[in-house]
Amino acid sequence: MYTMIGTASPADHPAVAALLDASGLPRRDVTDALLAHFLVAKGGDELLGVIGLEPLGDVGLLRSLVVAASHRGRGLGIELTRALERHARDQGVAQLFLLTTTAERFFGKLGYETIPREDAPPPIQGTTEYRELCSSTSICMVKTLD
Ligand SMILES: CC(C)(COP(=O)(O)OP(=O)(O)OC[C@H]1O[C@@H](n2cnc3c(N)ncnc32)[C@H](O)[C@@H]1OP(=O)(O)O)[C@@H](O)C(=O)NCCC(=O)NCCS
């Protein structure tokens, strides 16, 4: 079955929440409005992956990347990340930041560089994910989009 990547809709909210919960990723601040900047990968009606953007002017927070456990290791994480980068560019985002405790090597392969958390710009430091949802030990990474 083909995997389609597209924009999330409010109808996807329960399945997105379940996927984030299954990986222990934060979702308390994921509203339907924010979901408009989430991309979902589907095989038929099944949600196989998700990734989100918080656009904050010319910077953005990449967040909520999960691929269903049954579909990992097939390149879907990379595809979702590349699609999110295109979406971010379309939104006028020049630099994408992210916080991770689990996927530093994954994002490193895709050109993201680790920086001290404190070097994240104020809009990123103001996000719920930065302030509350991720532990102070999480790694901050950044990529300048072409
Ligand atoms: C991280 C995650 C999204 C990767 O998705 P995926 O579809 O399995 O990744 P891909 O198949 O596109 O992997 C691409 C490459 O990254 C590697 N990779 C995958 N997950 C990795 C991880 N956590 N750390 C390091 N490398 C990883 C793969 O081995 C592969 O490398 P290769 O091309 O040299 O073989 C997936 O493992 C996941 O959902 N993990 C749980 C949630 C999570 O940790 N999300 C990140 C939150 S910031």
Side-chain angles (χ1 to χ4, degrees):
M1 184 175 299
Y2 292 112
T3 302
M4 301 284 293
I5 295 181
T7 308
S9 75
D12 295 315
H13 210 151
V16 166
L19 209 50
L20 293 175
D21 283 351
S23 283
L25 293 184
R27 62 147 167 117
R28 190 166 54 81
D29 59 337
V30 178
T31 58
D32 279 352
L34 185 58
L35 209 60
H37 291 293
F38 275 47
L39 302 177
V40 286
K42 291 184 183 175
D45 287 338
E46 192 189 354
L47 185 67
L48 304 179
V50 64
I51 190 167
L53 170 73
E54 285 187 48
L56 301 157
D58 62 357
V59 298
L61 183 70
L62 182 164
R63 56 171 293 169
S64 306
L65 171 62
V66 186
V67 171
S70 55
H71 284 73
R72 288 181 192 162
R74 304 180 191 180
L76 192 49
I78 288 181
E79 259 192 81
L80 279 166
T81 305
R82 295 210 169 118
L84 197 280
E85 290 173 352
R86 287 194 293 275
H87 173 70
R89 258 185 232 112
D90 290 347
Q91 296 293 313
V93 171
Q95 270 192 318
L96 263 182
F97 291 80
L98 64 89
L99 297 157
T100 185
T101 55
T102 53
E104 185 180 9
R105 278 195 314 118
F106 171 84
F107 286 113
K109 283 183 189 172
L110 295 177
Y112 290 77
E113 288 175 19
T114 302
I115 58 166
R117 265 176 77 93
E118 317 76 70
D119 288 359
I124 298 295
Q125 294 200 25
T127 61
T128 302
E129 178 157 314
Y130 186 96
R131 286 186 287 115
E132 294 175 21
L133 299 182
C134 279
S135 72
S136 57
T137 55
S138 64
I139 306 275
C140 185
M141 303 182 82
V142 64
K143 180 174 178 177
T144 299
L145 301 177
D146 308 326

